[in-house]
Amino acid sequence: MVTLQNAENALKSVYLGTVTDLLNTRVNPLLSKIEQTSSDVWGKEIRTAAKFGINGGVGAGDEDGDLPAAFGNNYLQFVTTLKNLYGQIEISDKAIRASADGRGAFTDLLNAELEGLLNASKFNLGRMLYGDGTGLLATFAEKSTTDNTIVCDTARNLIEGLAVDVYGANGTKKGTARISYVDRAQKTVTLDGATVTLAAGDKMYVQGSKDKEITGIGALFNGSSIYGVQKSAHPFLNPYTKNVGGAIDEIVMQEAIDALENDAGSTVDFLACSQDAKYSFIEYMSSYKRNIDIMELEGGFKTLSYNGLPLVYDRFVPDGSMYLLNTKAFKLHQLCDWRFLETENGKILRQNQGKPTYTATLVKYCDLICQKPNGQAVLTGITR
């Protein structure tokens, strides 16, 4: 007979390992290539030493002359706080009782809930990977014809059902609402109800997440500092950027790859692009009657290939952009892998106050750090 205790045991002993593996390797092709480690975690912070330049203790000299002076490596300390990532599943008491006499029905119930969690995680983890840590989804450009519909600068981070916080242009929180519809062609979003007064210049963030998300790829290219260090004081923190201002071609891509290798000693092993950049690349290859190779990545992802390198389309890459990355320079530092939150008596299923439902919460404390920011590149302004 299936009971609440059986559900707890199944979630802990059977489902946790599977879900952890899927969250780490199957939700995003970039995440599957990044090493995950518990090193350099100190309390609630991550502190790691990033090496730049080379050891200076080399040189030529006379047969009986002085040896070169010894100089050590150059290091810069990166510091960031562990970010708190959560995922929840909810099971009703009625659903548990309805499946009490059938293990198959109960298994289907848990599978459905966990599949929903994985789909939500695929969206949010992918978005955070290419974000800048602020959690910004979009900025409102202008009002539409109704009180709860407004035009955004981008729709790539928006999806129906997402709960969002709306902040005014002055940085004050105006309220929380839920997205009911996204017109991606027109870049408009409709919020459920008109409880929040919308205005041009307002910004949208995932509920409760403003400035609390992991330090994604976008943070390398935006802002004046990274990992607590000012970019102006340390030029090696500045990655390679180039505005293409037109269609993509192999010369532009290879120039960026060569620049990273020659100037930063960085070897590109992963390319990520927006939809329009992908189409621009395909049209370029087609114009020369050249075949486009397809390759399979770890995690079962299939993608385009450029000179043996994976060229991955990701909806969260900014429009008209292509990232050229050395994934070996990234590490996801974590206090622990995904775990269920437990009460003092070890319970993971908790009744929601005043409701006949139970909730289990997965948690992970981590942040993403790039040891070689100048070993990464972005091409912008790509058009078809």
Side-chain angles (χ1 to χ4, degrees), residues 180-249:
S180 60
Y181 177 66
V182 181
D183 187 331
R184 292 165 180 82
Q186 301 300 321
K187 296 184 180 179
T188 63
V189 60
T190 301
L191 300 183
D192 188 11
T195 57
V196 180
T197 302
L198 309 179
D202 289 353
K203 297 180 183 296
M204 254 191 319
Y205 300 83
V206 175
Q207 61 170 342
S209 300
K210 186 176 184 295
D211 299 324
K212 298 175 183 178
E213 295 189 346
I214 63 174
T215 310
I217 303 297
L220 300 177
F221 302 90
N222 303 326
S224 59
S225 64
I226 185 79
Y227 314 127
V229 181
Q230 289 295 320
K231 294 180 180 179
S232 59
H234 302 278
F236 93 98
L237 293 175
N238 294 307
Y240 177 99
T241 62
K242 182 172 183 177
N243 188 328
V244 177
I248 194 69
D249 61 55

Side-chain angles (χ1 to χ4, degrees), residues 24-253:
N24 290 337
T25 64
R26 299 297 180 93
V27 298
N28 188 277
L30 175 58
L31 182 61
S32 68
K33 288 185 65 66
I34 294 175
E35 179 185 352
Q36 302 188 31
T37 177
S38 59
S39 65
D40 299 323
V41 176
W42 303 88
K44 297 181 180 180
E45 292 184 332
I46 302 168
R47 292 179 173 269
T48 184
K51 185 174 70 172
F52 63 97
I54 63 171
N55 184 303
V58 297
D62 298 320
E63 181 179 353
D64 56 354
D66 295 331
L67 294 173
F71 292 94
N73 295 322
N74 296 309
Y75 291 98
L76 196 62
Q77 188 178 62
F78 288 162
V79 181
T80 183
T81 58
L82 288 166
K83 306 305 187 298
N84 313 314
L85 305 184
Y86 302 107
Q88 288 200 119
I89 62 171
E90 185 176 79
I91 305 174
S92 70
D93 179 68
K94 182 179 181 180
I96 293 177
R97 293 179 186 276
S99 59
D101 295 329
R103 290 188 176 274
F106 180 70
T107 299
D108 291 341
L109 171 66
L110 287 183
N111 286 342
E113 288 298 321
L114 292 170
E115 183 178 353
L117 173 63
L118 290 171
N119 289 335
S121 299
K122 182 177 181 178
F123 181 88
N124 281 300
L125 286 176
R127 179 185 55 76
M128 284 192 281
L129 275 176
Y130 290 100
D132 59 6
T134 65
L136 179 64
L137 299 175
T139 300
F140 297 155
E142 58 184 81
K143 282 298 291 289
S144 186
T145 55
T146 60
D147 290 337
N148 58 339
T149 298
I150 197 163
V151 180
C152 302
D153 61 341
T154 179
R156 71 176 183 275
N157 297 320
L158 308 178
I159 192 169
E160 289 80 2
L162 191 65
V164 298
D165 291 334
V166 178
Y167 282 77
N170 60 359
T172 301
K173 183 178 176 180
K174 301 175 70 172
T176 302
R178 197 174 186 190
I179 296 176
S180 60
Y181 177 66
V182 181
D183 187 331
R184 292 165 180 82
Q186 301 300 321
K187 296 184 180 179
T188 63
V189 60
T190 301
L191 300 183
D192 188 11
T195 57
V196 180
T197 302
L198 309 179
D202 289 353
K203 297 180 183 296
M204 254 191 319
Y205 300 83
V206 175
Q207 61 170 342
S209 300
K210 186 176 184 295
D211 299 324
K212 298 175 183 178
E213 295 189 346
I214 63 174
T215 310
I217 303 297
L220 300 177
F221 302 90
N222 303 326
S224 59
S225 64
I226 185 79
Y227 314 127
V229 181
Q230 289 295 320
K231 294 180 180 179
S232 59
H234 302 278
F236 93 98
L237 293 175
N238 294 307
Y240 177 99
T241 62
K242 182 172 183 177
N243 188 328
V244 177
I248 194 69
D249 61 55
E250 286 184 282
I251 298 299
V252 173
M253 296 169 64

Side-chain angles (χ1 to χ4, degrees), residues 127-373:
R127 179 185 55 76
M128 284 192 281
L129 275 176
Y130 290 100
D132 59 6
T134 65
L136 179 64
L137 299 175
T139 300
F140 297 155
E142 58 184 81
K143 282 298 291 289
S144 186
T145 55
T146 60
D147 290 337
N148 58 339
T149 298
I150 197 163
V151 180
C152 302
D153 61 341
T154 179
R156 71 176 183 275
N157 297 320
L158 308 178
I159 192 169
E160 289 80 2
L162 191 65
V164 298
D165 291 334
V166 178
Y167 282 77
N170 60 359
T172 301
K173 183 178 176 180
K174 301 175 70 172
T176 302
R178 197 174 186 190
I179 296 176
S180 60
Y181 177 66
V182 181
D183 187 331
R184 292 165 180 82
Q186 301 300 321
K187 296 184 180 179
T188 63
V189 60
T190 301
L191 300 183
D192 188 11
T195 57
V196 180
T197 302
L198 309 179
D202 289 353
K203 297 180 183 296
M204 254 191 319
Y205 300 83
V206 175
Q207 61 170 342
S209 300
K210 186 176 184 295
D211 299 324
K212 298 175 183 178
E213 295 189 346
I214 63 174
T215 310
I217 303 297
L220 300 177
F221 302 90
N222 303 326
S224 59
S225 64
I226 185 79
Y227 314 127
V229 181
Q230 289 295 320
K231 294 180 180 179
S232 59
H234 302 278
F236 93 98
L237 293 175
N238 294 307
Y240 177 99
T241 62
K242 182 172 183 177
N243 188 328
V244 177
I248 194 69
D249 61 55
E250 286 184 282
I251 298 299
V252 173
M253 296 169 64
Q254 197 60 49
E255 282 178 346
I257 292 173
D258 292 344
L260 294 182
E261 185 168 352
N262 295 332
D263 300 340
S266 182
T267 302
V268 172
D269 61 3
F270 191 90
L271 288 76
C273 64
S274 62
Q275 188 176 56
D276 45 3
K278 179 184 74 171
Y279 292 152
S280 181
F281 175 77
I282 292 174
E283 288 173 351
Y284 169 78
M285 298 294 283
S286 298
S287 67
Y288 288 94
K289 310 298 184 199
R290 295 174 59 183
N291 293 329
I292 301 176
D293 295 329
I294 303 296
M295 64 189 305
E296 185 168 339
L297 305 179
E298 183 179 353
F301 300 100
K302 289 186 177 181
T303 184
L304 305 180
S305 172
Y306 165 72
N307 283 353
L309 302 175
L311 177 60
V312 178
Y313 156 67
D314 198 297
R315 64 173 292 174
F316 300 110
V317 175
D319 296 339
S321 299
M322 179 183 292
Y323 289 121
L324 300 93
L325 306 172
N326 174 6
T327 61
K328 293 181 176 60
F330 291 87
K331 287 185 180 179
L332 188 71
H333 297 265
Q334 58 190 24
L335 183 61
C336 62
D337 213 337
W338 291 100
R339 292 288 184 272
F340 282 111
L341 284 181
E342 297 184 3
T343 61
E344 60 276 2
N345 57 3
K347 298 292 185 181
I348 63 173
L349 281 172
R350 302 176 306 281
Q351 183 179 356
N352 295 320
Q353 187 173 5
K355 294 185 178 181
T357 57
Y358 297 90
T359 299
T361 303
L362 277 170
V363 64
K364 184 171 185 172
Y365 307 107
C366 62
D367 202 2
L368 182 65
I369 290 184
C370 177
Q371 292 278 331
K372 193 184 284 289

